[in-house]
Amino acid sequence: MRIDIKDILGKWKEYTLFNDMGMTVSVLDYGGIITEIMVPDRNGKFGNVVLGFKNYTEYEQNHSNYFGAIIGRVAGRIEDASFEINNQPYHLEANEGHHQLHGGSKGFHQVKWSVTPFQNKKAVGIRLDHKSIDGEGGYPGNIDITVTYTLTNDNKLTLEYSATSDKTTALALTNHSYFNLNGDLKNTVENHHVTIDSGHFVELNQELIPTGRLISVDETSFDFRGGRLLKEGFEDVSVQNKIAGKGYDHYFVFDHHLENNAVVQESSSGRIMTMKTDQPGMVMYTSNTLMDGLELKEGPSRRYLGVCLETQSSPASLHHEGFPSVILPAGECYQKQTVFTFGLQS
Ligand code: G6D
């Protein structure tokens, strides 16, 4: 196990974590961006299973896809870029129409995090720290945030998020990696077989804003409890698939009935990725609006090239009852964990 550190563009650092099995995870201090994850296929050939730019300056110049980045203060869309806490209204920066997406332009995806590498007998990783000041982006509270990426020899990548605020505020942190288990962008994720332990998802309106309704997945292309190919939601599209741009961009509420909250498999490579989290749900986004022609590490971008599993609570809770809350009371500790495990199908 080891950590290599590279200077990037004279202003950032990239930390590459190596375990003893050959798996590597590379992360920038800028945005906490995961730039590469190398895992083997069934023939032992290592390939990169996340989307990332070839030219790193693009991470700063083109935020619109949030490749690999830490997202916050609140991941997802906040309707009308506003909310109330204890009858106190807060007006945020509206960076998508009159709504806020992914914490606004001052979101955590564009922060240079303070990084501390660590290593012990069982693990190698980095701790990323950032202080978000009261009023930043319109949010209340001075918040100290720590995100930890840990790699172990069982090919698990553990993402841990902790934070405390001196005022009651809204917080929903996640990571916005786009996974593609084909490896090296050989194909889109249409052929990915996905299982999600969820019986309900959040209905969206035409602006991708939650309507306040939870919809049963029964008899729909959103029922992943028995597993299904992602392309079924790209072709035989329901109204909700159409609203998302002929795919998925929806929050799934976990039932916690299955061993894993989600499983992604790709048959030609034999790769499998399981995801376990203590979060109440996740947004699955299938890069429906990923534009063509961006220069990624292994080739040009195109639609459906990656699938994001953005574990989080739901910002719909700021405007509707019955959704997993994003409110963090003053002085309470926000503590969340998501584990991605990479392996081969038996
Ligand atoms: C689109 O609606 C989607 C978001 O969910 C995603 O995070 C973003 O692209 C990258 O806006």
Side-chain angles (χ1 to χ4, degrees):
M1 282 191 178
R2 75 171 195 270
I3 301 175
D4 285 358
I5 304 175
K6 265 193 336 190
D7 279 310
I8 302 289
L9 304 169
K11 57 182 176 180
W12 300 333
K13 288 203 183 324
E14 183 178 56
Y15 299 78
T16 298
L17 311 176
F18 292 75
N19 71 7
D20 294 332
M21 313 303 285
M23 178 175 169
T24 66
V25 178
S26 298
V27 186
L28 280 181
D29 50 6
Y30 181 74
I33 290 171
I34 296 175
T35 56
E36 184 179 84
I37 297 177
M38 297 295 283
V39 289
D41 65 9
R42 62 162 48 94
N43 302 316
K45 185 177 181 313
F46 281 75
N48 178 24
V49 294
V50 291
L51 273 57
F53 282 118
K54 181 175 182 180
N55 176 347
Y56 281 28
T57 56
E58 289 275 4
Y59 283 117
E60 194 169 35
Q61 292 164 2
N62 182 344
H63 291 305
S64 59
N65 296 290
Y66 303 88
F67 290 136
I70 295 170
I71 304 294
R73 287 197 188 190
V74 174
R77 287 176 171 83
I78 297 179
E79 187 173 6
D80 296 332
S82 64
F83 57 86
E84 279 194 8
I85 296 177
N86 302 328
N87 300 318
Q88 167 74 39
Y90 293 97
H91 299 284
L92 311 175
E93 176 206 353
N95 65 323
E96 190 183 71
H98 53 97
H99 308 301
Q100 184 178 81
L101 173 65
H102 290 341
S105 62
K106 296 282 177 289
F108 296 162
H109 59 285
Q110 54 83 51
V111 158
K112 186 174 171 186
W113 292 73
S114 167
V115 175
T116 308
F118 65 86
Q119 181 167 346
N120 56 48
K121 287 196 183 106
K122 292 185 178 172
V124 63
I126 53 171
R127 169 187 161 133
L128 303 99
D129 291 293
H130 172 61
K131 184 179 189 61
S132 177
I133 57 168
D134 184 26
E136 196 169 77
Y139 291 92
N142 292 292
I143 301 191
D144 294 308
I145 302 118
T146 296
V147 179
T148 306
Y149 296 155
T150 305
L151 177 62
T152 44
N153 275 336
D154 47 3
N155 283 6
K156 285 185 192 303
L157 172 61
T158 299
L159 282 60
E160 291 169 296
Y161 307 84
S162 63
T164 52
S165 173
D166 59 4
K167 288 182 185 174
T168 295
T169 189
L171 191 70
L173 304 173
T174 197
N175 177 272
H176 206 297
S177 289
Y178 292 63
F179 296 101
N180 182 324
L181 300 187
N182 291 290
D184 301 334
L185 306 186
K186 291 190 194 72
N187 200 337
T188 67
V189 296
E190 291 168 283
N191 63 342
H192 282 34
H193 184 273
V194 174
T195 304
I196 303 175
D197 176 18
S198 170
H200 291 84
F201 70 99
V202 174
E203 181 185 63
L204 299 176
N205 68 18
Q206 294 293 341
E207 292 181 290
L208 299 176
I209 295 295
T211 63
R213 277 186 67 214
L214 276 178
I215 302 180
S216 167
V217 302
D218 288 346
E219 313 291 318
T220 74
S221 56
F222 288 74
D223 190 352
F224 287 88
R225 292 171 294 189
R228 74 171 55 228
L229 293 178
L230 285 176
K231 66 181 177 184
E232 293 174 37
F234 302 168
E235 295 161 354
D236 170 21
V237 288
S238 68
V239 169
Q240 283 293 308
N241 288 128
K242 277 185 190 144
I243 282 177
K246 289 195 175 181
Y248 300 91
D249 193 358
H250 295 78
Y251 186 88
F252 289 80
V253 180
F254 292 135
D255 292 337
H256 298 293
H257 293 157
L258 303 176
E259 184 192 351
N260 296 297
N261 300 102
V263 180
V264 183
Q265 305 182 69
E266 194 286 308
S267 56
S268 62
S269 67
R271 291 190 178 97
I272 181 169
M273 178 180 77
T274 62
M275 191 275 287
K276 280 185 181 174
T277 183
D278 54 10
Q279 291 275 27
M282 72 173 184
V283 168
M284 178 167 77
Y285 172 55
T286 47
S287 54
N288 324 315
T289 56
L290 176 57
M291 64 205 78
D292 289 351
L294 295 175
E295 203 175 1
L296 306 182
K297 274 184 193 242
E298 297 83 13
S301 62
R302 61 193 192 281
R303 192 182 193 194
Y304 302 136
L305 203 51
V307 55
C308 306
L309 306 181
E310 302 162 47
T311 55
Q312 60 174 101
S313 284
S314 170
S317 60
L318 292 169
H319 292 277
H320 303 284
E321 297 295 320
F323 289 83
S325 174
V326 300
I327 295 298
L328 176 64
E332 275 195 26
C333 187
Y334 177 99
Q335 192 79 38
K336 305 292 179 187
Q337 181 184 85
T338 297
V339 183
F340 294 101
T341 304
F342 297 86
L344 295 173
Q345 296 164 331
S346 43

